[in-house]
Amino acid sequence: MSVNVVLDVQAKPESIDELKSTFKDILPDTRSYDGCIDVKVVVNQDDPLNVVLFETWETREQYESYLAWRAETGALEALGAMLSQPPSIRYYTNLNI
């Protein structure tokens, strides 16, 4: 069963454009990573520094493998430098009701 992942980040005001550009640059690799089904990126209309990624993965383990790969490449550290607080990652299962 697939897993839905919500990655919620809050950018520093001076970093929002760089954050959006970084996501644009790195998301093709995310979308082609083993197990990735879909990634959508949205911006909060009431808080333009709040960016949320809605991701669907075949399994949580595949997402966690992807996340470990991003950590190894230094991408997570680079993204963290653009954020005003730690990111929130939440995992959801479809109820199919």
Side-chain angles (χ1 to χ4, degrees):
M1 176 176 285
S2 65
V3 62
N4 297 294
V5 181
V6 177
L7 172 63
D8 190 334
V9 299
Q10 191 71 27
K12 295 175 183 174
E14 67 275 13
S15 299
I16 187 62
D17 291 335
E18 181 183 7
L19 180 69
K20 290 177 186 177
S21 177
T22 299
F23 278 139
K24 184 176 180 180
D25 290 343
I26 70 172
L27 285 179
D29 289 336
T30 302
R31 291 182 175 108
S32 66
Y33 198 88
D34 183 48
C36 182
I37 297 170
D38 189 36
V39 178
K40 290 182 176 57
V41 183
V42 298
V43 175
N44 185 333
Q45 290 184 353
D46 297 319
D47 180 359
L49 299 177
N50 179 222
V51 179
V52 178
L53 281 70
F54 294 105
E55 306 178 46
T56 305
W57 289 79
E58 290 176 13
T59 66
R60 181 172 178 161
E61 291 77 18
Q62 285 171 306
Y63 177 78
E64 290 171 344
S65 172
Y66 160 76
L67 202 57
W69 171 71
R70 283 293 188 199
E72 290 171 9
T73 66
L76 292 184
E77 186 176 341
L79 284 172
M82 295 179 240
L83 305 181
S84 63
Q85 60 193 41
S88 168
I89 301 175
R90 296 181 307 276
Y91 303 90
Y92 296 89
T93 303
N94 289 330
L95 292 179
N96 296 320
I97 55 175

